[in-house]
């Protein structure tokens, strides 16, 4: 029996879809059987982030409405043996699926997969209610911005109201240089305010943009710092204790020289 | 450089963000509407007016945050600033 985890945030554009793609891929790389579900009906994106956009025939609404069988709706990722995608419908809207249908779908998927990872749409309306309906655990994604943290706080409250207790936090797009200067909230600031457990921290890394351009999740990139961050998060989901990533990026000779001359 | 840092410490933009965020979350979490505050305000005026004459125009009531004495944890607080014009006679008896 698998586990259903919803990736949510409240605010849009903080990296829910990227996080879903990387956690899903990361778990598949560890040999787990994974399905990533795009619950953002009308604004399908998980397919392009995973590089599977050309292979879609059926979608989540087709599956729920029984236009096709569940297995027909699932797209197998050819690069990772154990990874499947259930894409969102692009031409319908959020009301095309009900929370009850979503619950039923998750029950079915749990029978087949070790992990069911749901990419939740932004907002707190029907799409959000649908996405969390069948979930047992929740991951909240935020960035170190005042608006994203505020929305994360609201989402945590709404999750708990729906019985999804103890959501875990991922802090995305943190910039070590700005944190050091005191111009960006640090990890402790955000944990202090939101009072939930930290699952991981992902640095603001160019390699994410590059990997998304190519449709290859950054978790597969051995050299990228963000890739390492997502691999660590994957390990923590699997129950292993991994220390937090040291975000101190190699500064290069010039800035080291500056430091040597002018002091810190 | 270090001296500059010491002086600018409290002006760090992240501290500004953190303070603003904390304040806005108190309102979000408490789910206080302006109507609710108006109702509280009306009732406070009604009760206090039995004992003293107050300056209703100058009355200021708001939700804010304060630190609990026992463990310094931030807790929401209702702060009312009520200017008294004069005490009423019956209060003196």
């Amino acid at each position: 029996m698998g586990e259903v985890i919803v990736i949510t945030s409240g605010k849009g554009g903080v990296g829910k879809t990227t996080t879903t793609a990387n956690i899903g891929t990361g778990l598949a790389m560890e040999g787990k059987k994974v399905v990533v579900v795009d619950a953002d009906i009308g604004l399908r994106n998980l397919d392009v982030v995973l590089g599977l956009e050309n292979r879609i025939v059926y979608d989540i609404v087709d599956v729920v409405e029984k236009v096709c069988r569940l297995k027909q709706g699932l797209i197998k990722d050819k690069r990772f043996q154990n990874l499947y995608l259930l894409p969102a419908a692009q031409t319908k809207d959020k009301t095309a699926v009900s929370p009850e249908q979503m619950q039923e779908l998750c029950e079915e998927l749990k029978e087949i997969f070790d992990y069911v990872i749901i990419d939740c749409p932004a907002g707190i309306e029907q799409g959000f209610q649908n996405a969390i309906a069948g979930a047992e655990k929740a991951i909240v994604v935020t960035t170190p911005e005042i608006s994203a943290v505020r929305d994360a706080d609201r989402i945590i409250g709404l999750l708990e109201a729906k019985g999804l207790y103890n959501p875990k936090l991922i802090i995305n797009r943190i910039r070590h240089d700005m944190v050091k200067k005191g111009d960006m909230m640090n990890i402790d600031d955000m944990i202090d305010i939101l009072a939930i457990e930290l699952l991981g921290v992902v640095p603001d890394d160019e390699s994410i943009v590059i990997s998304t351009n190519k449709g290859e999740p950054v978790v597969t990139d051995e050299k990228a710092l963000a890739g390492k961050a997502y691999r660590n998060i994957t390990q923590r989901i699997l129950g292993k204790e991994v220390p937090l990533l040291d975000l101190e990026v190699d500064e290069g000779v010039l800035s080291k020289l500056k430091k040597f001359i002018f002091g810190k | 450089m270090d001296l500059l840092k010491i002086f600018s410490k409290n002006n760090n933009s992240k501290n500004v963000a953190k303070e603003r965020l904390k304040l806005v979350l108190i309102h979000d979490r408490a789910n206080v509407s302006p109507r609710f505050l108006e109702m509280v305000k009306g009732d406070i005026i009604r009760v206090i007016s039995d004992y003293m004459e107050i300056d209703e125009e100058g009355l200021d009531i708001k939700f804010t945050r304060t630190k609990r004495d026992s463990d310094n944890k931030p807790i929401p607080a209702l702060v009312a600033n009520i200017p008294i014009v004069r005490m009423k006679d019956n209060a003196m008896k």
Side-chain angles (χ1 to χ4, degrees):
Chain A
M1 196 67 141
E3 203 169 69
V4 186
I5 306 172
V6 63
I7 315 285
T8 182
S9 71
K11 188 177 178 298
V14 297
K16 281 181 298 296
T17 304
T18 307
T19 301
T20 307
N22 279 291
I23 287 177
T25 308
L27 287 166
M29 282 161 70
E30 290 293 319
K32 297 290 174 192
K33 206 168 177 207
V34 183
V35 61
V36 286
V37 180
D38 192 347
D40 200 348
I41 297 168
L43 292 167
R44 173 160 84 199
N45 267 328
L46 190 52
D47 55 338
V48 284
V49 174
L50 282 166
L52 297 172
E53 67 274 18
N54 292 327
R55 307 213 6 241
I56 296 175
V57 183
Y58 297 110
D59 57 51
I60 190 169
V61 177
D62 294 326
V63 170
V64 163
E65 288 178 349
K66 307 227 172 355
V67 174
C68 67
R69 279 175 291 115
L70 175 59
K71 291 250 163 103
Q72 287 178 300
L74 297 172
I75 295 156
K76 188 177 171 359
D77 194 315
K78 285 174 182 156
R79 297 158 297 181
F80 311 101
Q81 236 189 341
N82 303 312
L83 184 62
Y84 292 79
L85 164 72
L86 182 55
Q90 182 70 327
T91 50
K92 313 250 168 53
D93 64 61
K94 315 269 190 230
T95 53
V97 178
S98 71
E100 293 74 27
Q101 287 172 321
M102 198 65 191
Q103 234 167 340
E104 216 175 288
L105 176 67
C106 289
E107 287 301 320
E108 251 182 283
L109 290 170
K110 255 162 65 176
E111 300 288 334
I112 312 168
F113 295 95
D114 297 321
Y115 287 95
V116 181
I117 314 287
I118 301 170
D119 184 17
C120 179
I124 54 172
E125 297 85 13
Q126 167 108 50
F128 167 75
Q129 303 295 346
N130 283 345
I132 66 165
E136 296 148 340
K137 287 187 179 174
I139 293 173
V140 176
V141 184
T142 191
T143 60
E145 281 163 83
I146 192 163
S147 49
V149 178
R150 181 191 195 176
D151 289 0
D153 188 81
R154 183 113 168 82
I155 283 296
I156 293 163
L158 291 170
L159 287 170
E160 286 179 344
K162 290 277 173 188
L164 277 164
Y165 298 105
N166 304 320
K168 304 278 195 301
L169 184 70
I170 290 181
I171 299 171
N172 196 15
R173 274 190 222 131
I174 201 149
R175 282 183 54 183
H176 183 75
D177 56 333
M178 289 190 76
V179 170
K180 216 159 83 178
K181 272 190 271 171
D183 277 331
M184 184 177 269
M185 282 188 278
N186 63 34
I187 299 163
D188 290 338
D189 291 332
M190 281 175 275
I191 292 295
D192 186 31
I193 286 169
L194 294 173
I196 65 169
E197 206 182 304
L198 184 67
L199 182 65
V201 181
V202 183
D204 189 17
D205 188 347
E206 284 179 10
S207 57
I208 297 219
V209 180
I210 297 166
S211 72
T212 308
N213 285 345
K214 295 192 219 159
E216 295 163 1
V218 74
V219 70
T220 60
D221 187 342
E222 281 295 324
K223 283 179 224 136
L225 199 60
K228 179 94 173 79
Y230 279 119
R231 285 194 292 281
N232 285 352
I233 288 169
T234 305
Q235 291 302 319
R236 291 189 199 108
I237 292 172
L238 292 170
K240 286 173 199 141
E241 277 191 37
V242 189
L244 268 188
L245 195 66
D246 187 8
L247 297 178
E248 183 94 70
V249 233
D250 194 25
E251 288 172 285
V253 186
L254 200 72
S255 62
K256 271 181 190 158
L257 196 70
K258 255 192 206 160
K259 256 188 190 170
F260 181 72
I261 299 167
F262 300 108
K264 239 185 177 182
Chain B
M1 288 272 276
D2 276 332
L3 209 65
L4 260 176
K5 241 187 199 170
I6 291 162
F7 283 123
S8 65
K9 205 175 179 195
N10 288 324
N11 297 325
N12 278 348
S13 67
K14 80 124 186 189
N15 288 334
V16 178
K18 212 178 155 185
E19 284 311 307
R20 288 176 58 217
L21 191 54
K22 278 184 176 173
L23 209 61
V24 88
L25 286 184
I26 286 162
H27 282 269
D28 287 0
R29 286 171 183 170
N31 209 4
V32 200
S33 65
R35 202 179 112 78
F36 170 87
L37 274 181
E38 278 307 308
M39 281 159 64
V40 173
K41 202 167 157 179
D43 279 358
I44 287 178
I45 293 173
R46 199 168 44 78
V47 172
I48 292 181
S49 296
D50 284 346
Y51 304 95
M52 54 196 94
E53 200 178 298
I54 59 174
D55 171 16
E56 287 188 26
E57 289 293 305
L59 188 141
D60 178 35
I61 179 163
K62 63 185 174 196
F63 249 98
T64 178
R65 188 172 48 96
T66 184
K67 279 190 173 144
R68 192 158 59 194
D69 284 341
S70 55
D71 55 3
N72 258 351
K73 264 209 164 151
I75 48 162
L78 184 70
V79 173
N81 197 346
I82 310 168
I84 301 165
V85 178
R86 64 177 185 88
M87 302 301 280
K88 284 193 176 167
D89 285 349
N90 56 354
M92 298 301 175
K93 279 172 197 165

